[in-house]
Amino acid sequence: MEKTLSIISATPLGSLSDGVEHEEGPEPSEPSETRDFLVHESLHGQRLDRALAALVPEFSRSYLQQLIDAGAVAVQGRVLTKSAATVHAGEIGSIELRPTPQSQAFKPEPLPIAVVHEDEHLRIIDKPAGLVVHPAPGHWSGTLLNGLLALDPRAALLPRAGIVHRLDRDTSGLMVVARTRAAMDALVGLIAAREVKRQYIAMAHRSWQGADARHVDAAIGRDPRNRLRMAVVDLTRHSGKPARTLIESLDSNDEGCAVRCTLETGRTHQIRVHMASIGHPLVADSLYGGTAAAGLERQALHAFRLAFIHPATGVQMEFLAPPPPDLVQAMQAWGLDYNRA
């Protein structure tokens, strides 16, 4: 089948939210909510916690494990307290959903989400810097997930509201979000097969040295000296995963450099870690050695290009989003030209 190419510039369709309310679990004033479930054939032989994660997708697996441990889950009239217990097709059960900050986080909240493209299967959004993607300790509300639940009633039926990959809180740029389970599974598969092309523009300290293009192939894992950050690690001594980034210089002067980064793998903080490892920490990335400069106080990283084959139509899609004003102004302050991207 001949493939066609669709290139879409990130001029947002608008900041969309329909304000639809969804039942996400017990309200703070309620002691609990009991929900009945039927184990589908597709879940036959699965662990209890995995089956519940599919049956009650608006709650995380870790939260469901806590409920199992607390005796809040019964199958065929018998309380099960082991997450590894096996379930069988046709079994009927119930789960008592008890309120916690985590359980109450997965609620719709109207947020200004810039939608670049949407169809029946997926959305492309341009995430602003400062927006957290998933609820987590310290950020139980106001996340992209909360905004997606308000934007689309169908999002409540999908794990993580259809989110298939992340951007760090202070990284701006393009993300793809699924609108159906079939599209979500297909997109996860494309990402795992490295068939989704993700490119970033970054601004870093120090003048660029050497060849214009540099291929960094260095495994990433938890920093053995600081578990709150990631680091390049030796896999013979520490746990981690292979990580590869193509880094290309776009412009450079005495102030610093502008680079284009192409992800070949998708590890946590990959570009930030790899840039720091070659002596070019990102501007304002204090976690990895950068400092605020040129008026920028968030890490200088923007996902400007996203390309993949549409999981339903087979059309080759490409989306482009120019850097936001804060990054453009910082580049101009240092006299850097990023337009070769």
Side-chain angles (χ1 to χ4, degrees), residues 4-11 116-117 124 174 304-308 315-321:
T4 59
L5 174 65
S6 176
I7 301 180
I8 302 176
S9 180
T11 301
V116 174
H117 165 84
I124 305 296
L174 296 172
F304 82 95
R305 180 171 180 257
L306 185 65
F308 56 90
V315 173
Q316 177 69 45
M317 308 292 286
E318 181 177 11
F319 303 92
L320 304 172

Side-chain angles (χ1 to χ4, degrees), residues 169-282:
R169 178 183 65 185
D170 288 332
T171 297
S172 56
L174 296 172
M175 293 180 62
V176 58
V177 179
R179 299 190 68 193
T180 67
R181 186 57 190 258
M184 186 171 193
D185 292 343
L187 288 168
V188 168
L190 289 173
I191 291 172
R194 300 169 190 165
E195 294 178 4
V196 176
K197 190 162 189 178
R198 292 173 285 172
Q199 290 186 303
Y200 297 69
I201 292 172
M203 178 176 165
H205 294 285
R206 298 182 57 237
S207 175
W208 186 264
Q209 303 294 323
D212 285 345
R214 182 166 181 176
H215 205 143
V216 180
D217 188 347
I220 291 175
R222 287 286 172 189
D223 189 331
R225 296 172 294 182
N226 181 354
R227 303 296 293 177
L228 298 178
R229 51 177 263 164
M230 310 302 286
V232 167
V233 296
D234 180 350
L235 293 180
T236 64
R237 300 176 55 201
H238 302 286
S239 61
K241 295 181 180 179
R244 292 177 294 280
T245 309
L246 174 63
I247 303 172
E248 301 169 276
S249 173
L250 300 175
D251 198 8
S252 178
N253 57 32
D254 291 341
E255 298 284 359
C257 56
V259 299
R260 174 174 57 209
C261 300
T262 303
L263 288 180
E264 297 181 10
T265 56
R267 310 305 178 204
T268 301
H269 298 176
Q270 179 171 320
I271 291 173
R272 299 164 63 187
V273 171
H274 276 175
M275 287 294 293
S277 75
I278 63 172
H280 293 285
L282 300 187

Side-chain angles (χ1 to χ4, degrees), residues 322-334:
D326 65 340
L327 187 52
V328 171
Q329 292 167 8
M331 294 276 195
Q332 291 173 344
W334 274 11

